[in-house]
């Protein structure tokens, strides 16, 4: 098998490289569109929101855990963290979607709980709430648009309408709506320049305006994608970049890094949870492969 | 943190064992700090004492940065986040405090539970370092708590040997002088083989400065005489001729050197008499030996004393005997140290035998009570290589193994532990390790001696001059100590060439000026 894979790689090498690297016109177009801007130091108070899930498969059921956190840059919880743990049947869960997508939906629900209102927050004024991941990518996935997915769609729509501080931050993107190239826009903007700057366009989520921007907060750092509620102009974009860059490390907001650290559920954690339930002796779904 | 738990330093995390645990603290913790934890033993709460052997600070954001810019940004954001840094400390459990106070080391059978509170050891807890017993003497203060006096058990040094290990200038000779001072306060007997003249100005109670002399009559092995005369090691024919000439008649002769020369001449003449069968190498060797003896008598006359009855006659019991060996070469010192040690061992064996028999004896005992022998530059005289000097190593090895039966113990002092004979080093029941920077030295000590942990050894390069880790039988508890300075010892400091040149130049000019004045007057 390995031999056939290598042979195929050698045969298709030139074609694939051409597809990835050959589109120099798009890179030039990205260069023309790129607005260089070196952010200025601007004190800001940010909150990072992230969630994660993990699960273990058994014969006939899953055991899952999910957690969501909202943290400030001094590593305090902006709201009480949310942790959920349950088991799920593989079929007949009512949504007809995979366990993975089901848990992604639930994570979005948890994140919504953390950002929906600030009455029970720690009572500090916040400039921006940063949420890990693209909202457009999540909500436009048709697999989510059934029953519960619609409910979440409406919840996030209300957030985008009511809270102008919310910014969705994605490390990567599949979207090519700005340049329309073979590859995603983020590929071309990443290669267009090494300088700090931004590009943006306006989009809409069921009638709610969104500004979709690709930004590099510091020179020579990765480009990230921002989705901001409302229509922002250049001055507002620069103002947002100032606030994010001041609180970032290697071009990525520190609060999101902290949130990721706080909420991640590792396989070792699942092993411990399994021990609590005494499920260690249950037959796993991949035991026939001795994995 | 509330006012009630201001002394809670941290909490035990991870796996804990009866002999060690790790804790996370609210502040950086120093290596050498002592902490306490409460554990349950037989239904009762008891405190255990532990020594911090390793300490680390980790910043979670700075752990993952890979360039200057990210580090700079990370530093700024980490300053705001008090949770970013975590302070970990690895400790060694020393035992229950109540038992340590009675000089007994008992390690708990059940480890302290993770989550247990860890406290800074109070002054009361640290009293275990100050043993109130006439066998114990003050050696210094705790490095991290100068109010706590640390004492060591001199009896254990006198029975189980001691090694003082440090780089040059780390404070070895001060520590040896301090031990000598404390032994003198107990009216004990000590012999320091002072190869570098480090202790020539030491002025303490009961001191006895002696210039080392060797009476060649008492040498057992002709090779020892050859070494003393500095006959080259590979000059086998010369050594063979000397061995043939060094007879009992020569040993007993009134004119030792005259008789030895005559014997060598006889060997030469006998060889000449063989005519064509003569061996010219023997003749040349005999002639060369005559010349060597002439030179030795002229140059090394002060080292030899053919009239001394026994080398031990110059040493005194219940005194600190400093044996000045400055004029000895390494090879000569090797023979001389072996010579003294052998005589001492025999003397102590006689003393113990007579004491045991409880009968009066005409045999002369020079040292009726235990003796401590300190060997400076021990890596030279007790080397780990078979190519090194053998005489001292052999007898010192014997004393290391059997000395305690006869009240004769060793204090070996070295700045290159990795070159020490591992058998001798492993017999050292106590260690004082001052600053040591070479990782090979640390590894070697770890392999040769089971009483020092790897974590403690890793700390050695961080020690400053006069700071030491004391482990083994002379202390109840491994201690990191600031050693007391011996004001009575001024040597050991490097000579200031600049000062001496300046002084000499000034005195020369003064002399010239005064001479010039005289000339003018004339």
């Amino acid at each position: 098998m390995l031999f056939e894979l290598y042979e195929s790689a050698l045969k298709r090498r030139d074609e694939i490289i051409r597809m990835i690297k050959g589109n120099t016109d798009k890179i030039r177009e990205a260069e023309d569109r790129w607005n260089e801007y070196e952010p200025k130091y601007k004190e800001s108070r940010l909150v990072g929101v992230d969630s994660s899930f993990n699960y273990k498969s058994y014969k006939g059921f899953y055991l899952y855990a999910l957690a969501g956190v909202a943290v400030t840059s001094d590593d305090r919880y902006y709201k009480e963290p949310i942790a959920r743990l349950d088991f799920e049947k593989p079929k007949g869960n009512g949504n007809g979607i995979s366990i993975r997508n089901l848990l992604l939906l639930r994570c979005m629900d948890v994140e919504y709980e953390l950002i929906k209102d600030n009455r029970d927050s720690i009572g500090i004024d916040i400039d921006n709430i940063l949420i890990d991941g693209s909202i457009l990518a999540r909500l436009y996935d048709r697999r989510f648009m059934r029953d519960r997915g619609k409910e979440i769609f409406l919840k996030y729509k209300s957030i985008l309408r009511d809270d102008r501080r919310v910014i969705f931050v994605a490390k990567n993107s599949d979207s090519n709506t700005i340049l329309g190239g073979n590859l995603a826009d983020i590929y071309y903007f990443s290669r267009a320049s090494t300088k700090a700057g931004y590009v943006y366009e306006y989009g809409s989520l069921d009638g709610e305006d969104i500004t979709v921007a690709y930004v590099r907060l510091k020179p020579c750092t990765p480009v990230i994608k921002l989705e901001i509620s409302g229509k922002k102009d250049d001055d507002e974009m620069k103002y947002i970049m100032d606030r994010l860059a001041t609180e970032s490390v290697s071009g990525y907001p520190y609060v999101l890094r902290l949130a990721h650290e706080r909420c991640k559920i590792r396989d070792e954690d699942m092993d411990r949870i399994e021990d609590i339930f005494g499920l260690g002796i249950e037959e796993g779904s991949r035991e026939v492969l001795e994995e | 943190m509330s006012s009630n738990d201001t002394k809670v330093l941290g909490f035990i995390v991870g796996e804990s064992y009866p002999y060690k645990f790790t804790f996370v603290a609210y502040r950086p913790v120093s290596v050498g700090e002592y902490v306490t934890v409460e554990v349950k033993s037989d239904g009762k709460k008891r405190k255990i004492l532990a020594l911090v052997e390793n300490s680390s600070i980790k910043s979670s954001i700075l752990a993952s940065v890979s360039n200057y810019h990210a580090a700079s940004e990370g530093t700024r954001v980490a300053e705001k986040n008090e949770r970013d840094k975590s302070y970990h400390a690895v400790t060694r459990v020393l035992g229950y405090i109540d038992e340590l106070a009675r000089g007994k080391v008992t390690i708990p059978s059940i480890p302290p539970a993770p989550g247990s509170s860890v406290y800074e050891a109070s002054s009361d807890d640290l009293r275990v370092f100050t043993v109130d017993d006439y066998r114990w003497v003050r050696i210094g203060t705790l490095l991290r708590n100068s109010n706590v006096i640390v004492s060591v058990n001199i009896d254990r040094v006198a029975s189980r040997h001691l090694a003082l290990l440090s780089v040059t200038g780390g404070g070895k000779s001060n520590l040896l002088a301090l031990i000598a001072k404390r032994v003198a306060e107990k009216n004990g007997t000590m012999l320091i083989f002072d190869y570098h003249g480090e202790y020539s100005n030491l002025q303490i109670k009961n001191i006895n400065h002696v210039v080392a002399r060797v009476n060649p009559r008492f040498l057992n092995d002709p090779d020892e005489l050859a070494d003393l005369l500095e006959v080259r090691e590979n000059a086998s024919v010369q050594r063979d001729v000397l061995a043939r000439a060094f007879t009992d008649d020569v040993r007993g002769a009134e004119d030792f050197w005259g008789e030895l020369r005559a014997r060598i001449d006889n060997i030469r003449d006998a060889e000449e008499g063989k005519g064509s069968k003569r061996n010219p190498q023997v003749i040349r060797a005999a002639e060369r030996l005559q010349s060597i003896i002439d030179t030795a008598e002229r140059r090394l006359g002060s080292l030899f004393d053919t009239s001394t009855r026994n080398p031990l006659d110059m040493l005194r019991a219940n005194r600190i005997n400093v044996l000045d060996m400055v004029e000895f070469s390494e090879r000569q010192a090797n023979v001389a140290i072996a010579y003294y040690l052998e005589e001492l061992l025999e003397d102590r064996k006689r003393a113990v035998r007579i004491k045991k028999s409880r009968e009066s004896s005409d045999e002369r005992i020079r040292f009726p009570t235990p003796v401590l022998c300190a060997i400076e530059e021990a890596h030279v005289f007790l080397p780990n290589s078979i190519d090194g000097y053998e005489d001292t190593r052999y007898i010192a090895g014997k004393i290391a193994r059997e000395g305690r039966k006869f009240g004769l113990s060793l204090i070996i002092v070295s700045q290159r532990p990795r070159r020490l004979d591992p058998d001798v080093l492993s017999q050292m029941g106590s260690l004082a390790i001052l600053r040591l920077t070479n990782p090979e030295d640390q590894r070697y000590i770890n392999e040769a001696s089971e009483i020092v942990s790897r974590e403690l050894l890793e700390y050695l390069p961080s020690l400053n001059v006069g700071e030491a880790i004391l482990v083994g039988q002379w202390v109840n508890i491994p201690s990191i100590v600031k050693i007391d300075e011996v004001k009575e010892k001024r040597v050991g400091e490097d000579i200031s060439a600049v000062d001496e040149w300046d002084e000499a130049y000034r005195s020369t000019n003064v002399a010239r000026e005064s001479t010039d004045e005289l000339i003018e007057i004339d």
Side-chain angles (χ1 to χ4, degrees):
Chain A
M1 225 294 283
L2 208 55
F3 174 77
E4 282 81 2
L5 271 179
Y6 288 150
E7 195 179 30
S8 174
L10 288 170
K11 275 184 191 162
R12 300 204 56 205
R13 182 176 176 276
D14 290 344
E15 181 195 348
I16 289 173
I17 288 174
R18 207 179 311 116
M19 277 167 63
I20 296 171
K21 296 188 175 172
N23 206 342
T24 51
D25 288 350
K26 289 291 171 197
I27 292 179
R28 267 196 295 277
E29 191 183 336
E31 276 174 28
D32 292 341
R33 282 174 171 261
W34 190 252
N35 302 301
E36 285 180 14
Y37 175 67
E38 186 91 36
K40 297 178 186 64
Y41 183 86
K42 175 101 187 123
E43 279 288 350
S44 58
R45 282 153 299 183
L46 305 177
V47 166
V49 176
D50 199 1
S51 62
S52 78
F53 65 83
N54 203 338
Y55 62 90
K56 287 186 88 96
S57 310
Y58 303 93
K59 291 278 189 213
F61 69 99
Y62 300 101
L63 175 70
Y64 75 85
L66 62 85
V69 295
V71 293
T72 57
S73 57
D74 57 358
D75 211 358
R76 285 189 290 165
Y77 287 123
Y78 179 61
K79 280 194 177 177
E80 278 300 306
I82 298 172
R84 287 178 187 161
L85 184 82
D86 211 337
F87 83 99
E88 192 68 49
K89 292 175 280 181
K91 297 223 168 120
N93 55 34
N95 291 300
I97 58 175
S98 69
I99 181 78
R100 191 174 170 74
N101 282 339
L102 179 72
L103 293 176
L104 274 172
L105 267 181
R106 288 183 179 163
C107 276
M108 285 178 72
D109 209 20
V110 162
E111 288 179 6
Y112 172 77
E113 291 296 316
L114 291 166
I115 57 177
K116 67 175 180 183
D117 63 57
N118 305 317
R119 278 173 304 191
D120 52 346
S121 70
I122 56 172
I124 55 168
D125 289 335
I126 291 298
D127 294 313
N128 287 108
I129 298 172
L130 310 184
I131 302 159
D132 185 52
S134 160
I135 185 64
L136 294 175
R138 291 187 204 178
L139 293 183
Y140 277 128
D141 192 326
R142 288 209 169 258
R143 283 171 299 178
F144 291 171
M145 295 294 106
R146 296 179 178 199
D147 305 330
R148 196 92 194 277
K150 277 182 190 160
E151 195 184 313
I152 287 175
F153 182 90
L154 292 173
K155 284 179 178 175
Y156 274 89
K157 193 179 159 189
S158 69
I159 287 285
L160 287 168
R161 186 184 60 231
D162 300 337
D163 195 341
R164 297 278 155 160
R165 301 172 306 169
V166 169
I167 300 174
F168 292 88
V169 181
K171 294 179 280 295
N172 205 354
S173 167
D174 291 342
S175 169
N176 66 349
T177 56
I178 297 181
L179 296 171
N182 282 336
L183 308 179
D185 291 339
I186 199 165
Y187 173 85
Y188 301 109
F189 290 124
S190 292
R191 278 152 188 80
S193 170
T194 56
K195 294 183 176 161
Y198 64 93
V199 168
Y200 65 92
E201 65 167 357
Y202 298 131
S204 165
L205 183 77
D206 198 28
E208 294 302 328
D209 290 330
I210 293 182
T211 303
V212 177
Y214 294 90
V215 302
R216 177 180 281 120
L217 295 173
K218 306 264 174 76
C220 304
T221 61
V223 169
I224 56 175
K225 187 184 181 190
L226 307 181
E227 291 161 0
I228 311 159
S229 62
K231 283 186 173 176
K232 305 294 180 193
D233 60 19
D234 283 299
D235 287 344
E236 286 171 309
M237 275 309 303
K238 288 175 184 172
Y239 190 66
I240 288 169
M241 282 181 70
D242 290 345
R243 289 202 296 235
L244 299 196
T246 301
E247 289 284 330
S248 73
V249 176
S250 297
Y252 190 68
Y254 179 56
V255 284
L256 285 178
R257 193 189 277 244
L258 282 178
H260 173 75
E261 285 300 315
R262 291 285 164 269
C263 75
K264 70 181 169 195
I265 302 169
R266 298 162 302 173
D267 289 345
E268 297 81 358
D269 301 324
M270 290 308 294
D271 291 343
R272 288 184 193 121
I273 291 168
E274 181 183 63
D275 284 346
I276 291 170
F277 286 101
L279 290 171
I281 54 167
E282 278 292 324
E283 198 178 335
S285 62
R286 299 179 68 81
E287 260 168 38
V288 287
L289 301 176
E290 295 184 0
E291 286 182 352
Chain B
M1 191 176 293
S2 73
S3 58
N4 291 336
D5 54 4
T6 45
K7 284 192 178 173
V8 174
L9 181 57
F11 300 95
I12 296 180
V13 294
E15 280 180 61
S16 67
Y17 304 89
Y19 56 91
K20 74 169 183 181
F21 61 81
T22 301
F23 69 93
V24 174
Y26 74 86
R27 62 159 173 85
V29 184
S30 303
V31 171
E33 269 192 63
Y34 292 89
V35 296
T36 64
V37 179
E38 269 187 359
V39 292
K40 273 196 173 174
S41 168
D42 299 330
K44 284 187 295 182
K45 277 188 178 177
R46 292 176 79 186
K47 257 193 202 178
I48 57 171
L49 185 69
L51 167 67
V52 175
E53 292 195 328
N54 207 338
S55 175
S56 64
I57 304 176
K58 186 187 170 190
S59 158
S60 65
I61 184 72
L62 293 171
S64 58
V65 300
S66 56
N67 59 61
Y68 172 84
H69 298 287
S72 166
E73 292 156 13
T75 302
R76 197 167 43 72
V77 295
E79 274 171 14
K80 289 185 186 172
N81 180 2
E82 65 176 21
R83 292 179 179 214
D84 174 68
K85 291 191 185 62
S86 52
Y87 308 105
H88 278 76
V90 180
T91 65
R92 188 215 285 213
V93 173
L94 303 172
Y96 290 114
I97 289 187
D98 50 1
E99 305 230 10
L100 288 170
R102 294 196 294 272
K104 194 177 165 195
V105 178
T106 308
I107 302 292
S109 56
I110 296 173
S116 303
S117 301
V118 177
Y119 299 85
E120 294 170 23
S122 67
S123 300
D124 268 358
D125 297 329
L126 295 174
R127 278 191 197 149
V128 294
F129 290 95
T130 317
V131 181
D132 187 17
D133 183 298
Y134 70 96
R135 294 177 189 87
W136 293 70
V137 296
R138 174 184 166 134
I139 201 94
T141 54
L142 279 185
L143 184 60
R144 305 288 171 222
N145 192 336
S146 57
N147 296 324
V148 178
I149 293 169
V150 177
S151 35
V152 293
N153 187 325
I154 286 291
D155 260 3
R156 306 249 176 90
V157 176
S159 59
R160 300 286 181 160
H161 317 294
L162 167 69
L164 309 184
L165 310 171
S166 164
V167 293
T168 305
K172 293 186 302 289
S173 58
N174 177 71
L175 178 52
L176 185 60
L178 180 63
I179 291 168
K181 185 177 167 181
R182 299 296 182 229
V183 171
E185 286 164 6
K186 302 286 177 195
N187 296 311
T189 308
M190 189 165 167
L191 170 58
I192 301 174
F193 294 102
D194 189 12
Y195 180 61
H196 288 306
E198 294 247 7
Y199 308 92
S200 56
N201 284 346
L202 181 64
Q203 289 305 329
I204 54 174
K205 180 189 168 191
N206 293 347
I207 192 98
N208 177 34
H209 289 284
V210 179
V211 177
R213 296 264 190 277
V214 177
N215 188 340
R217 296 174 195 277
F218 293 107
L219 295 173
N220 296 322
D221 184 353
D223 266 338
E224 290 178 353
L225 180 60
D227 283 343
L228 279 174
L229 293 171
E230 297 194 308
V231 175
R232 279 184 295 114
E233 212 163 340
N234 56 0
S236 55
V237 183
Q238 287 174 29
R239 283 179 176 256
D240 184 48
V241 170
L242 187 66
R244 283 159 62 194
F246 187 42
T247 61
D248 285 345
D249 290 344
V250 172
R251 283 190 174 92
E254 196 173 330
D255 177 5
F256 176 85
W257 296 112
E259 189 61 28
L260 183 65
R261 277 202 198 85
R263 294 278 170 175
I264 293 169
D265 274 344
N266 289 347
I267 292 167
R268 180 187 169 282
D269 292 346
E271 199 63 36
E272 289 274 18
K274 291 178 183 171
S276 60
K277 288 185 180 174
R278 72 178 187 272
N279 182 348
Q281 277 189 312
V282 173
I283 295 164
R284 275 201 300 278
E287 286 166 354
R288 177 75 189 118
L289 272 176
Q290 295 287 12
S291 154
I292 287 171
I293 292 168
D294 283 348
T295 311
E297 265 205 291
R298 200 169 55 249
R299 273 188 45 236
L300 309 172
S302 59
L303 307 186
F304 296 115
D305 185 352
T306 55
S307 63
T308 318
R309 169 77 193 94
N310 186 297
L312 300 192
D313 285 346
M314 296 181 291
L315 309 179
R316 298 278 175 270
N318 308 108
R319 295 281 187 278
I320 305 303
N321 298 281
V322 176
L323 202 58
D324 184 344
M325 305 184 85
V326 171
E327 290 190 47
F328 283 68
S329 68
E330 279 182 7
R331 193 185 295 177
Q332 290 165 338
N334 167 52
V335 174
I337 295 170
Y339 173 79
Y340 277 93
L341 288 178
E342 231 170 298
E343 293 294 326
L344 268 171
L345 182 60
E346 288 310 312
D347 190 77
R348 285 299 305 149
K349 279 182 179 176
R350 279 196 299 275
V352 170
R353 194 179 64 238
I354 291 168
K355 193 177 175 186
K356 272 186 184 167
S357 68
R358 293 179 183 177
E359 288 171 11
S360 60
S361 168
D362 294 339
E363 287 183 89
R364 186 180 172 195
I365 304 299
R366 291 177 176 80
F367 296 99
T369 53
V371 181
L372 292 168
C373 295
I375 305 175
E376 286 267 1
E377 301 287 329
H379 54 278
V380 174
F381 304 113
L382 313 169
N384 64 4
S385 146
I386 50 164
D387 301 330
Y389 302 121
E390 183 57 37
D391 307 71
T392 303
R393 183 171 63 170
Y394 171 74
I395 185 69
K398 202 169 166 183
I399 293 170
R401 288 188 304 275
E402 304 170 8
R404 59 183 286 253
K405 290 188 286 190
F406 307 110
L408 183 60
S409 67
L410 295 175
I411 299 177
I412 62 172
V413 185
S414 174
Q415 65 264 33
R416 291 199 182 88
R418 65 187 179 281
R419 294 198 191 160
L420 277 169
D421 182 349
D423 290 339
V424 174
L425 187 56
S426 67
Q427 295 287 335
M428 298 295 117
S430 301
L431 296 180
I433 314 170
L434 296 99
R435 187 175 155 79
L436 269 182
T437 50
N438 191 315
E440 271 187 58
D441 282 333
Q442 296 162 18
R443 188 178 49 77
Y444 191 74
I445 294 170
N446 192 223
E447 284 171 7
S449 174
E450 293 166 353
I451 54 180
V452 197
S453 70
R454 191 170 47 80
E455 285 81 7
L456 266 185
L457 289 169
E458 281 174 5
Y459 184 61
L460 292 174
S462 318
L463 291 174
N464 296 308
V465 175
E467 297 171 356
I469 294 172
L470 310 183
V471 288
Q473 299 177 358
W474 69 331
V475 284
N476 276 342
I477 307 161
S479 318
I480 303 183
V481 177
K482 175 81 182 161
I483 302 291
D484 286 346
E485 194 183 344
V486 180
K487 301 260 183 334
E488 297 88 337
K489 178 185 174 298
R490 287 186 296 110
V491 273
E493 296 161 10
D494 289 335
I495 293 167
S496 168
V498 175
D499 284 351
E500 291 195 17
W501 290 333
D502 187 52
E503 200 176 317
Y505 180 76
R506 280 168 198 272
S507 57
T508 310
N509 277 356
V510 168
R512 187 186 301 141
E513 279 165 19
S514 51
T515 313
D516 288 348
E517 276 172 24
L518 287 174
I519 293 165
E520 277 173 22
I521 292 165
D522 284 345

